Amino acid sequence: MTDHHQPARGEPRVALVTCTALADLDEDDRLVLAPLSARGIIAEPVVWDDPGVDWAGYDLVVLRSPWDYMFRREEFVTWAGRVPRLVNPADVVRWNTDKRYLDELSAAGVPTVPTSWVLPGEPWQPPADRGEYVIKPVVSAGSQDTGRYDLADPRHRDLALAHLRRLGAAGRVAMVQPYLTAVDTAGETALLFLAGPDGLAFSHAIRKGPMLTGPDEGADGLYKPEEITARTADPAQRGVAAKTLAAVPGGTDRLLYARVDLIPGPDGTPVLVELELTEPSLFLGHADGAPERFADAIVTQLTRA
């Protein structure tokens, strides 16, 4: 059991926020523990909905893997609003945990995957082009409850409608996007940014292999496995990432981290799939020095706090 009492020593205390299923943190997040200790920081994994936690007793509260909030988003964002010295901040959490933020970024000039939204109980007409489409809830992570549908196939159309009905029956807003086939060959590129003295700075990039092979038939809500390798971000990807971050409400100077997920669009230029500001995997184990850079970013935020 985690000891949430203030230690006698004067080292800064940092809570690394997680969920019950990952009470000892995700394997990748554990990589930052030794660098933080080397910097004189006491870091503790803490479950976000543990009622016994004194959040005010921490010098910084860092969101890492609270991945069970998807069906409890309002509870989660209300909790975030009560936690002092939370990073990323509560208003960012509220904005970023509903993927309808993509509309705002698109309106700001960020190239994004075209997206339509389906409210619970709202009728949906399959697109006329009958291509491949992705359906998922607007509050989700790890490709949970996400399916890929070839709408030229009558069975897939029926499964897509069933998927939307299933989400609607649970009171969840759905999003529908064209499937970008370049992900099958080029994969998805995630660019990771961490806090530095002058604001967010690029840290590293990774490639995620294709994950969606077909419809979601509601058998389970488990995370789908990811194929991760290191990648060098090219100038076009860096440019889209910079434009994306420039459009974040309230600016990025107060952020501890950001992850910008891109896929080549139909013409090969990168488009934004997701902007992860709440609880992204940072893939610290896929870049030399990344755990140390994350520890330094936490030190930067402690100084600001």
Side-chain angles (χ1 to χ4, degrees):
M1 179 179 293
T2 303
D3 180 4
H4 301 299
H5 295 288
Q6 185 74 28
R9 296 173 298 170
E11 296 97 329
R13 295 178 74 224
V14 171
L16 300 176
V17 179
T18 185
C19 60
T20 301
L22 293 168
D24 293 321
L25 297 176
D26 177 71
E27 180 180 358
D28 193 68
D29 284 328
R30 287 198 290 271
L31 296 175
V32 78
L33 295 176
L36 286 174
S37 179
R39 288 155 175 78
I41 296 168
I42 299 172
E44 302 171 354
V46 189
V47 174
W48 73 272
D49 57 352
D50 180 347
V53 178
D54 176 17
W55 298 103
Y58 291 98
D59 298 285
L60 197 69
V61 179
V62 178
L63 288 166
R64 288 310 317 124
S65 49
W67 293 334
D68 60 356
Y69 76 85
M70 283 70 191
F71 292 95
R72 305 157 61 193
R73 175 177 174 265
E74 283 305 314
E75 179 185 349
F76 181 67
V77 297
T78 299
W79 165 84
R82 295 195 302 262
V83 176
R85 297 177 292 280
L86 179 72
V87 285
N88 285 334
D91 63 302
V92 172
V93 170
R94 179 172 287 279
W95 179 77
N96 189 240
T97 49
D98 185 320
K99 292 180 175 61
R100 284 175 284 189
Y101 67 76
L102 288 170
D103 275 353
E104 293 183 42
L105 295 178
S106 178
V110 177
T112 61
V113 182
T115 306
S116 59
W117 317 98
V118 183
L119 301 177
E122 187 176 66
W124 178 73
Q125 185 66 35
D129 66 10
R130 293 294 196 265
E132 285 195 284
Y133 282 79
V134 173
I135 295 174
K136 59 184 174 182
V138 299
V139 180
S140 67
S143 293
Q144 287 184 299
D145 302 306
T146 300
R148 171 182 172 182
Y149 302 90
D150 180 357
L151 298 183
D153 182 334
R155 176 177 175 272
H156 274 224
R157 289 200 301 276
D158 289 342
L159 289 171
L161 288 165
H163 188 175
L164 289 168
R165 285 194 297 269
R166 194 163 58 247
L167 293 176
R172 306 174 79 185
V173 178
M175 54 195 294
V176 182
Q177 298 174 317
Y179 184 77
L180 300 181
T181 57
V183 74
D184 292 333
T185 52
E188 183 176 323
T189 301
L191 289 79
L192 286 302
F193 296 81
L194 300 173
D198 300 317
L200 284 182
F202 177 72
S203 171
H204 58 286
I206 59 94
R207 176 192 184 274
K208 289 198 286 184
M211 297 173 64
L212 299 180
T213 57
D216 180 281
E217 300 189 50
D220 58 57
L222 298 178
Y223 291 101
K224 296 176 172 64
E226 294 183 322
E227 175 194 322
I228 308 297
T229 54
R231 167 166 277 178
T232 300
D234 64 34
Q237 292 165 335
R238 296 280 291 266
V240 171
K243 181 177 286 190
T244 301
L245 295 174
V248 173
T252 59
D253 288 347
R254 61 207 179 110
L255 302 184
L256 171 62
Y257 50 65
R259 197 182 88 198
V260 182
D261 294 346
L262 306 173
I263 293 177
D267 64 355
T269 60
V271 298
L272 179 71
V273 182
E274 290 190 29
L275 170 61
E276 299 271 9
L277 303 178
T278 302
E279 29 63 35
S281 294
L282 297 176
F283 307 113
L284 301 176
H286 293 272
D288 291 341
E292 290 74 20
R293 288 193 293 277
F294 188 36
D296 287 338
I298 290 173
V299 171
T300 295
Q301 288 286 6
L302 280 167
T303 302
R304 293 172 179 168

